[in-house]
Every structure is written in structure tokens, then in C-alpha cells.
Amino acid sequence: MITWAAPTIPALPGTGPTVRLHDATTGTLVEAASGPVASLYVCGITPYDSTHMGHAATYLAFDVLHRAWLDQGLEVRAASNVTDVDDPLLERATATGVDWRALAADQAAQFADDMAALAVLPPDVYVAVSECVPRLAQAVEQLLAAGAAYRVPTPGVAGPGDVYADLAADPAFGSVARLDEATMAALSAERGGDPDRPGKRNRLDPLLWRRGRPGEPAWEAGSLGRGRPGWHIECAVIALDGLGLPIDVQGGGSDLLFPHHEMSCSHARLLTTGAPPARVHTHAGMVGLEGQKMSKSLGNLVLVGRLRASGVSPSAIRLAVLAHHYRTDWDWTDGGLAHAVERLDRWRAAAARPAGPSGDRVLAQVRAALAEDLDTPRALAALDDWAVGEGDDASAPALFAATADALLGVRW
Ligand code: ZN
């Protein structure tokens, strides 16, 4: 897919410290990159309600990582997928009487427009599932041939059945999220799995290939029969082909740790050498609205596009999001947005002064905060302190502005 235009990043003197991230598997802080080329895979959207604040918070968190890595002097390779063939998207298309392709294209374009406005660095590899179905089918056939997948008859559809991964073929299954059976079963049922489907060997076994039901999009795929791929195999293959394994950081929202990341890692291991596909798993928290869960069914999604249309500046949206540590669950509030708008005004006024407190010091403070698990609240506090401080460093206002822009994507 075509991405959006990359923002220009101002140069900063020197380089930042090594970035460490919280790894969901071990619960510890670990070095985010393993070498001079850092790789990042962030699970992409299902384009039917983009771009709500939960999406924005996730992509902004990993954008800050991307920026901190560049500041560290690393080359960054980033990849993302677009799940443009999936049950919720198809349900929405049916409910609204819109062709699923048109809905996906429209929402993917909205997402790209919002990401460009928010100055999010675009991924180098950006692939929609509809663009790589033959390759995904080949991966499913590989797993079948290896005895790591099996067929389950599809009611009402002639020919070969749906295909499920056989988790028993993967001795390392469970090593990513490290959850007990009961928790895995509950989360699987809640998050798109089908534990009660008759004919499965294990309740948790995830779908790899779904035969086309009447009215559903489907692709011809040789021995698999007409159908479409499951969700987890999509990310496994796009990461494998687009970045090579292992990747440094697998990212996404915290609701993706299980089953999605557990399953896509399992598929990737079985398609390759069996080694861990990602060194670090890091997740952004969930965003609610004024104390309520933000959801389509409640009709309370805060959309970036709507905020922009009402005149809110993208930098204020960034500040409203980055005021919260990325791993926490938090609520979007009108007060939080008002505070961000005020903060942006204060910073803008401070940056327009002829001189200020040491610019080198505030840059070092922001770098140190971000290197420690992307502590954006601490970075914002350092910039706040500079903005209210007095000093005679004439180069500081420009360095202050460049720091906010390069490391946090805040521009004015
Ligand atoms: Zn994914």
C-alpha cells in the first residue's frame, strides 16, 4: 500500500542514549534494538472506524520509539499491515450497505491522512492483506505440509475445509504472553477466537484459512480452496517477508498480546527455524472516554479526523496523548485536551523568546526520559520547566523547539 508523506525531522546535536523498553514477556526493561539496524513491526488497523484515539495512541507511542531510535543514531526498518479483509470490516460493510472494498479504501485513506497530519513516521513496509493472499495461502500450505495445521470441515461448503493451526506442533506456544489455560481460553473467546468450533483439536487452535461462505470475499488458492486467510498468519508473514526474523520490537495495543501476538509468533516460528520471532513485545494501553470504554457499540469513539475538522491542531492531539505513559490505560477527556492546547501555547510563546535556560540541558533531560521506556510525561515536564525558566542561552529557544519537534513530533 502507499504510505503517507514522512515528516521532516530537525537535526539535533549529538546522539541520544540507548532506548530501553518494557518487555511484556519478561516484565523487565530491555534494550530495544540489538544492532545498528533496528526493526519494528506494529500491527496495523482494520480499516472501518479509523482513526480513533486508541489507534492514535498506539501509533504515537511507536512513533516516539522510532524517533528515539533515529536520535540514537540507528537505522530503522518499520513495517505495518492493513487488515482490509476481516469479520468486523465485512460486518460493518453489510450493515451500512457499502461495498467492503470501498469501506476499507475510504478508511485506510482517512487513517493515512490522520497519520500524516499527526507527523507519524510512515512504515517502510506497508502491506494490506488483500495484496498478499497468494503468499499467505502458500504459508498455510507450508504449515499443513509440515503437520502443523489441519482441516476442519466447513458446513455448507464443498471441498477442503477451513484450516487451523495445530498448537500441539509448537512446543514454544505460550512463551510470549505466559498465561494460564483458563485465561487464554477466556481471552481467545473475547478477542476473535472460536474455542467452541466443533472439530478443533484444541480449543485455542487459531484459524489459518477460512473457506469462502456465500457473500464473503474469497480468493482461489489451489489445494486450500476458495477462501481467505486468518488474521495471525497475516502479521507473521508480513513481518517475516518485510523485515526478516527476528525483529527487535513487536508492538501494538495491549489487547493484542493474547491471542494475536502469541499466535502470530507461533506461526512465524513454525514457518522458520523455531527461534523467537521478536526480541521484545511492547504494548500500548487502552484509551477510554470520560470513564467509559471507547467502543463502536457505545458510539463514543473520539476520532482524530473529527478533532482536526473542529480546528484542534495535530500537535495538541499529540500532547494530549503523550501526557500519558504509553503503557497505562487512560481516559480521553475534554480537560486533557484543553490542557494540551494550553501547554502548546505556552511552549510556542517560550520558544519565541530571545533567550532561555540551557538548551543542552533540556535536550539531555528529554532524551533520558524517552530512553527509559518512552517516559513521555517526564519529557513533557522537562520541556514545561524550560518554558517557565529564565536564562541567557540565546541558542536555547531554537534547540527547545527542535527537541520538541524531533523527539515528540510537536511542531508550531
Ligand atoms: Zn498483527
Side-chain angles (χ1 to χ4, degrees):
M1 287 191 73
I2 296 168
T3 56
W4 52 94
T8 312
I9 299 186
L12 295 174
T15 52
T18 300
V19 179
R20 299 196 308 156
L21 279 184
H22 178 269
D23 175 33
T25 295
T26 58
T28 57
L29 277 188
V30 295
E31 279 192 24
S34 56
V37 182
S39 55
L40 169 68
Y41 187 93
V42 184
C43 289
I45 57 161
T46 298
Y48 67 107
D49 59 0
S50 51
T51 310
H52 63 65
M53 207 43 72
H55 295 142
T58 296
Y59 299 109
L60 288 176
F62 291 100
D63 183 60
V64 171
L65 171 64
H66 196 154
R67 287 164 181 271
W69 266 346
L70 292 175
D71 184 53
Q72 200 185 314
L74 304 179
E75 189 186 320
V76 182
R77 292 273 302 156
S80 247
N81 59 304
V82 176
T83 309
D84 63 350
V85 185
D86 198 14
D87 293 339
L89 166 75
L90 301 173
E91 284 160 17
R92 173 66 62 88
T94 304
T96 53
V98 176
D99 183 86
W100 67 272
R101 295 173 203 82
L103 173 64
D106 177 63
Q107 292 295 297
Q110 175 72 52
F111 177 72
D113 192 47
D114 289 333
M115 290 298 104
L118 289 173
V120 170
L121 288 158
D124 306 287
V125 174
Y126 193 46
V127 183
V129 61
S130 65
E131 295 175 316
C132 62
V133 173
R135 168 65 181 117
L136 298 177
Q138 184 198 34
V140 174
E141 283 176 327
Q142 185 186 333
L143 291 174
L144 273 169
Y150 59 96
R151 290 193 164 95
V152 173
T154 309
V157 177
D162 297 333
V163 181
Y164 281 83
D166 187 352
L167 294 174
D170 177 15
F173 173 73
S175 59
V176 174
R178 298 186 181 178
L179 300 172
D180 59 63
E181 282 286 329
T183 308
M184 289 195 285
L187 289 176
S188 169
E190 195 183 302
R191 297 173 177 170
D194 54 0
D196 298 326
R197 168 87 188 261
K200 284 170 59 169
R201 293 179 186 167
N202 180 315
R203 287 161 58 80
L204 295 176
D205 288 348
L207 181 73
L208 285 169
W209 186 259
R210 176 179 166 90
R211 291 298 313 282
R213 273 65 165 175
E216 288 185 0
W219 286 258
E220 280 302 339
S223 69
L224 299 179
R226 270 180 75 76
R228 60 183 159 104
W231 176 33
H232 315 305
I233 191 73
E234 169 189 339
C235 284
V237 170
I238 295 172
L240 167 64
D241 290 355
L243 298 175
L245 302 182
I247 55 171
D248 284 312
V249 175
Q250 164 71 69
S254 59
D255 54 347
L256 297 188
L257 172 59
F258 193 91
H260 183 53
H261 290 165
E262 188 76 59
M263 299 303 181
S264 58
C265 274
S266 175
H267 298 340
R269 268 193 302 271
L270 294 173
L271 287 169
T272 56
T273 59
R279 291 179 47 251
V280 186
H281 284 84
T282 301
H283 298 92
M286 297 286 109
V287 183
L289 175 67
E290 310 274 2
Q292 262 191 324
K293 187 178 152 68
M294 206 183 280
S295 77
K296 292 159 290 291
S297 50
L298 292 172
N300 63 352
L301 292 178
V302 175
L303 299 177
V304 171
R306 219 174 278 159
L307 286 171
R308 288 172 55 211
S310 73
V312 177
S313 95
S315 286
I317 297 173
R318 282 190 80 112
L319 283 177
V321 170
L322 299 179
H324 305 271
H325 190 269
Y326 77 96
R327 283 196 293 113
T328 58
D329 293 338
W330 56 279
D331 279 349
W332 179 269
T333 63
D334 288 344
L337 177 60
H339 184 67
V341 170
E342 242 174 75
R343 179 178 251 153
L344 186 61
D345 285 345
R346 234 176 18 245
W347 287 9
R348 187 179 285 134
R353 297 180 299 180
S358 164
D360 290 339
R361 183 161 175 270
V362 71
L363 170 59
Q365 287 171 331
V366 170
R367 278 174 164 160
L370 298 183
E372 199 174 314
D373 199 22
L374 310 179
D375 192 345
T376 55
R378 205 174 104 205
L380 266 53
L383 290 157
D384 282 342
D385 284 348
W386 184 90
V388 298
E390 300 288 337
D392 56 6
D393 180 350
S395 65
L399 186 51
F400 168 84
T403 300
D405 187 345
L407 298 178
L408 299 168
V410 174
R411 307 178 289 184
W412 49 82

